[in-house]
Amino acid sequence: MKPENLFFDTSGLDKDHAQRLTEEALTGSDDGELFMEHTLSESFSFDNNRLRAANFDTSRGFGLRAVKDETAGYAHSTDLSETAIKRAASALTPVISGHSGTVSDALAKTDTSLYTDTNPLEGEGFADKVKILEDINAYARAKDNRVRQVSIGLSGEWQAVAIIRPDGQPVFDVRPLVRLDVSVVAGEGDRQESGHCGRGGRAGYAKWLTPENWQGQVDEALRSALVNLDSVPAPAGEMDVVLGPGWPGILLHEAVGHGLEGDFNRKKTSAFSDRIGQRVASPGVTVIDDGTLPDRRGSLSVDDEGTPTEKTVLIEDGILTGYMQDRMNARLMGMQPTGNGRRESFACQPMPRMTNTYMLGGDKDPDEILADVKKGIYAVSFGGGQVDITSGKFVFSCTEAYQIEDGKLGAPIKGATLIGTGPESMQRINMIGNDMRLDDGIGTCGKEGQGVPVGVGQPTLRLEGLTVGGTG
């Protein structure tokens, strides 16, 4: 079904009527939109040799936003009807009353679609999906007699959105999203450790539910668990740190990316505020936010304000060149929106958010980078972390890391945390690998209570003299 049929065939509205309602509601505002959403989602949880939970959900509704100067009014409802929209409009009147503003100019439209409009929930049946989860569980347990627990999560989503602005034609987008996670706990004697591997993106289930894919995920999760079984307490102190390619880009996302979002910089609460044109990272460091990568978890054909996404260079050769912007913060800062206005659902206001944020590769062979470190650690994967946007300070936990001794990988370590500040750590980078890689499609970013799917990536990096918190 076409997305416009979802919204207009069953609501008593048509496109022209919805357009007129939006124009009337936002008269006198500086900006705003009517955002309509219809989402189907499902999730499966398999643990302890059986299906533990299966959920299916349908959500449908709209959000109406009016923006005046720095003030935004927002009303939303699950009742997608003319009556509900008019009621929402009346709630926004105090925001724009007494003003005669004009909604910002219309944005360029795009016909480009970065992903299929296929609904992943309409593919394999319920029994087929449960059978695949059973096969994954059996395969994992047969791989090694040290496997004590296998946990599997499978989720799929099909989201259709319509964005109606007073200054242009409605924009429609259909966004599929799937994810498969495999976690393995392995043990010897009284000790047990876990490993995890997740993959996903904007496509149907078929790509991830083939044996070639899920067997690889099981193998990787088991490998990680067995590595951690042999781990020793992590050292502590200031030392060189080598970050592996791909998922370790989550540190870049948290410690640097959030600080480059427009709202923090407009309010001057970011460590990067008022620093465009200044050096904020070592030479050779180029950081990009790119929402235009096909099928990637963080990609969008248009953002949640109707702006086409783009490839935005944030840091080029160590120099800060720009911020990620939604419409409101771009207008207030005298800049152009970059297609980074995102929201979790129709019940949430948009704000500047990352899409796929990564660092470009350099010219060093990864083995050369390791060989150059006399004593340090090599971090392959990260778990949780905390970041202070104002200061840029961060603390991140390593879920897989190794000692480096005389240029060679040593024993795996457990309990290592990386401690530093985003701007300072970016200037401690002194070697950049030629192996840039994006993550496997598992990132979710939280901000002000909203979660949105994102991507990260980077090459192998060496950081000089980073603080490592350890247990040894």
Side-chain angles (χ1 to χ4, degrees):
M1 178 182 290
K2 292 183 178 180
E4 51 260 50
N5 295 340
L6 281 172
F7 300 115
F8 300 127
D9 286 359
T10 60
S11 63
L13 299 170
D14 59 34
K15 285 189 289 187
D16 292 338
H17 195 181
Q19 186 83 35
R20 288 194 301 272
L21 288 173
T22 305
E23 291 173 357
E24 293 170 2
L26 301 184
T27 298
S29 65
D30 290 326
D31 205 354
E33 73 285 316
L34 174 66
F35 179 88
M36 298 189 289
E37 176 192 355
H38 184 97
T39 297
L40 308 176
S41 61
E42 67 178 7
S43 63
F44 298 82
S45 176
F46 194 99
D47 191 19
N48 198 26
N49 290 311
R50 66 189 180 92
L51 184 67
R52 304 282 297 194
N55 298 290
F56 179 84
D57 184 61
T58 300
S59 63
R60 173 182 167 89
F62 74 88
L64 182 65
R65 182 178 64 143
V67 180
K68 189 65 183 180
D69 298 323
E70 298 184 26
T71 303
Y74 197 69
H76 62 89
S77 174
T78 57
D79 177 14
L80 187 53
S81 67
E82 177 180 357
T83 300
I85 294 173
K86 287 184 174 180
R87 189 184 308 120
S90 66
L92 302 184
T93 300
V95 176
I96 55 180
S97 61
H99 298 281
S100 57
T102 302
V103 175
S104 303
D105 293 339
L107 295 165
K109 299 299 187 290
T110 178
D111 294 324
T112 301
S113 181
L114 300 173
Y115 28 77
T116 178
D117 61 1
T118 300
N119 184 349
L121 280 63
E122 293 180 345
E124 295 81 356
F126 177 86
D128 296 327
K129 294 168 187 172
V130 174
K131 177 62 166 59
I132 291 172
L133 300 181
E134 292 172 340
D135 291 344
I136 295 172
N137 177 68
Y139 176 82
R141 292 181 178 278
K143 287 287 292 185
D144 195 292
N145 59 14
R146 289 170 289 183
V147 173
R148 295 182 175 178
Q149 183 177 4
V150 179
S151 302
I152 310 160
L154 176 66
S155 61
E157 179 181 288
W158 186 83
Q159 180 193 52
V161 302
I163 303 152
I164 299 177
R165 300 178 46 76
D167 51 8
Q169 291 296 312
V171 175
F172 298 96
D173 196 21
V174 175
R175 305 163 175 175
L177 189 66
V178 301
R179 175 171 169 171
L180 175 65
D181 289 277
V182 179
S183 296
V184 174
V185 175
E188 286 183 315
D190 294 333
R191 182 174 181 177
Q192 59 184 31
E193 299 288 347
S194 62
H196 168 266
C197 182
R199 295 176 184 170
R202 294 198 179 279
Y205 279 129
K207 179 177 179 180
W208 285 275
L209 294 186
T210 62
E212 293 79 10
N213 180 78
W214 61 253
Q215 287 177 7
Q217 287 189 241
V218 170
D219 294 345
E220 174 59 20
L222 177 59
R223 182 204 63 79
S224 179
L226 296 178
V227 164
N228 287 328
L229 267 183
D230 295 328
S231 62
V232 299
E238 187 174 287
M239 63 189 74
D240 289 353
V241 173
V242 177
L243 303 178
W247 178 245
I250 191 63
L251 191 151
L252 173 73
H253 168 104
E254 295 288 0
V256 178
H258 278 298
L260 298 177
E261 292 168 337
D263 49 355
F264 296 124
N265 288 280
R266 177 178 66 82
K267 299 172 185 176
K268 302 189 186 304
T269 57
S270 167
F272 295 98
S273 297
D274 296 325
R275 298 193 63 186
I276 288 182
Q278 298 181 21
R279 177 164 298 283
V280 296
S282 299
V285 172
T286 296
V287 178
I288 291 171
D289 184 84
D290 190 353
T292 69
L293 302 174
D295 300 331
R296 297 297 306 181
R297 180 174 171 84
S299 295
L300 294 170
S301 299
V302 294
D303 73 2
D304 294 326
E305 298 178 305
T307 309
T309 55
E310 60 184 57
K311 182 177 181 179
T312 305
V313 179
L314 304 169
I315 300 173
E316 185 169 15
D317 198 21
I319 305 299
L320 181 62
T321 58
Y323 303 123
M324 291 166 280
Q325 297 284 15
D326 63 350
R327 287 179 63 94
M328 184 179 81
N329 287 282
R331 173 176 54 83
L332 293 171
M333 295 178 72
M335 298 180 176
Q336 291 297 312
T338 57
N340 289 94
R342 305 189 63 188
R343 67 184 96 200
E344 181 178 309
S345 75
F346 68 87
C348 305
Q349 292 195 56
M351 66 181 85
R353 305 294 298 272
M354 285 171 272
T355 57
N356 304 296
T357 309
Y358 56 91
M359 184 187 299
L360 294 185
D363 59 357
K364 301 298 183 183
D365 184 277
D367 291 336
E368 179 185 355
I369 295 176
L370 284 173
D372 197 60
V373 178
K374 183 171 182 61
K375 182 177 179 60
I377 70 167
Y378 175 54
V380 177
S381 186
F382 290 97
Q386 294 180 327
V387 180
D388 183 287
I389 301 300
T390 302
S391 65
K393 293 180 180 179
F394 64 81
V395 178
F396 269 89
S397 301
C398 302
T399 55
E400 183 179 347
Y402 302 82
Q403 294 178 334
I404 304 175
E405 298 174 348
D406 296 323
K408 296 181 180 179
L409 288 183
I413 56 177
K414 181 179 181 181
T417 58
L418 302 188
I419 305 167
T421 67
E424 182 182 347
S425 65
M426 288 297 98
Q427 301 199 50
R428 291 179 179 268
I429 296 172
N430 58 13
M431 298 184 81
I432 304 175
N434 58 11
D435 57 343
M436 199 289 284
R437 191 173 78 213
L438 296 171
D439 75 296
D440 289 326
I442 60 172
T444 298
C445 173
K447 180 179 176 182
E448 296 185 19
Q450 295 189 40
V452 296
V454 296
V456 300
Q458 68 172 44
T460 297
L461 300 174
R462 175 183 170 182
L463 288 78
E464 186 177 25
L466 200 64
T467 300
V468 177
T471 54

